[in-house]
Amino acid sequence: MNAVTAENLTILYDGKPALEGVTFSLEEGETLLLLGPNGAGKTTLLRTIACFHREYTGDLYVFGRKPCRARELIGYVPQSHSLNERVPLTALEVVAMGGIYRRGFAHFKIPRETLLKAEEVLGFVGLGSVKDRLFRELSGGQKQRVLLARALMGDPKLLLLDEPLSALDPSARAEVAAVLNKIKRERGITMVITTHDINPLLEVGDRVMLINKRLIAFGRPEEVLQDSIIKSVYGPLARVVPVGGKLFCITGDVHIHKRGGGEL
């Protein structure tokens, strides 16, 4: 079964196209790496699949349903979390939010079974030892893994991740990429991941989509990551380098994002 299907999808803002004529299908259990420069429409596509944005023409289906009828099947990890870090929440409490919000519980009434599940999911992402530490005291990589765990609390069939490696150092990127690989391998969850740097994620990616206000290329990594295709978007200095049987994509596109500062 296809997890996501788009047919001639054009996404609009105030009646004007932000992303035009996108057609693709992603099978259940596959991971799609969504690549493109700043302003290409990556987040726009992700938010539309998640039913946060509804202005579009063409067809879009998530497990055979319109996006807004499939919301319970979708987990979403935004580029910037909305937690107010002045509120003293522990890592365990942040993860538990992924369960209590769906069930309508207030924060101070977290059921025991929800806390037990949150503890299990924290262990799955390798952070069982920090469950009682304040979220604000964690490193950037640890925070990102906590947010991944929170998204897993709803047992999603489709996980949408917007720039999960941005603003992380190389070590933290490797840790988060390893968790994404574990999610794919052990839970079989379909994922769509937007990224500026595709290289740490290539092992988890089954498909790559390159967009720049429109669909440039879609296919397996070796089909999309070719010099001629990459240069058409990023310019003559971009290139794809094969090293030890693996591909490395050099685009010169850098994205720096400061996390935090939002409201709970």
Side-chain angles (χ1 to χ4, degrees):
M1 182 179 187
N2 286 339
V4 184
T5 302
E7 184 73 33
N8 198 28
L9 177 68
T10 293
I11 303 173
L12 308 167
Y13 275 95
D14 298 324
K16 298 179 180 179
L19 184 63
E20 295 187 76
V22 174
T23 296
F24 75 97
S25 62
L26 186 67
E27 292 184 10
E28 187 170 359
E30 288 188 325
T31 296
L32 171 63
L33 305 179
L34 188 53
L35 184 65
N38 273 328
K42 300 188 299 296
T43 298
T44 293
L45 179 55
L46 213 65
R47 288 178 56 81
T48 304
I49 295 172
C51 189
F52 295 139
H53 183 77
R54 306 183 188 186
E55 190 181 356
Y56 66 85
T57 63
D59 294 318
L60 179 62
Y61 296 97
V62 177
F63 293 102
R65 311 180 196 175
K66 292 289 188 180
C68 292
R69 293 186 177 274
R71 295 184 75 166
E72 77 277 8
L73 305 177
I74 301 171
Y76 187 84
V77 181
Q79 188 178 120
S80 177
H81 71 74
S82 59
L83 293 169
N84 182 347
E85 295 193 12
R86 291 172 294 183
V87 178
L89 293 171
T90 66
L92 186 65
E93 289 169 329
V94 170
V95 174
M97 285 180 181
I100 62 177
Y101 283 176
R102 286 177 178 264
R103 296 176 55 182
F105 290 102
H107 165 62
F108 56 86
K109 294 182 179 178
I110 303 175
R112 175 174 169 76
E113 64 269 22
T114 301
L115 287 173
L116 289 174
K117 182 174 181 179
E119 191 168 346
E120 182 270 325
V121 177
L122 261 181
F124 178 80
V125 301
L127 291 177
S129 63
V130 305
K131 65 177 184 177
D132 296 321
R133 286 184 58 188
L134 293 179
F135 179 78
R136 66 188 177 208
E137 295 176 350
L138 302 178
S139 69
Q142 288 173 327
K143 288 179 180 178
Q144 188 67 311
R145 283 188 280 162
V146 166
L147 296 175
L148 277 171
R150 182 176 68 171
L152 292 174
M153 282 290 290
D155 297 317
K157 293 183 66 177
L158 173 64
L159 195 55
L160 307 175
L161 302 112
D162 196 4
E163 296 284 354
L165 306 186
S166 68
L168 300 181
D169 61 38
S171 176
R173 287 183 188 180
E175 290 173 353
V176 173
V179 171
L180 294 174
N181 207 358
K182 186 178 181 182
I183 291 171
K184 174 186 175 66
R185 186 177 66 251
E186 297 186 17
R187 300 210 170 189
I189 298 173
T190 309
M191 292 186 282
V192 180
I193 307 172
T194 72
T195 183
H196 274 70
D197 182 6
I198 198 172
N199 297 312
L201 295 170
L202 277 174
E203 285 193 18
V204 76
D206 299 292
R207 309 282 179 180
V208 175
M209 181 187 293
L210 179 60
I211 61 173
N212 192 12
K213 301 292 187 181
R214 61 183 179 86
L215 179 63
I216 305 298
F218 172 80
R220 298 199 175 277
E222 63 271 17
E223 296 169 339
V224 175
L225 299 182
Q226 299 183 26
D227 272 355
S228 59
I229 296 174
I230 296 300
K231 289 179 187 293
S232 72
V233 173
Y234 292 101
L237 296 181
R239 63 188 186 277
V240 178
V241 180
V243 178
K246 297 182 179 180
L247 296 175
F248 289 85
C249 186
I250 302 171
T251 64
D253 189 33
V254 177
H255 184 63
I256 299 175
H257 182 77
K258 183 178 180 181
R259 295 187 177 275
E263 293 300 319
L264 180 64

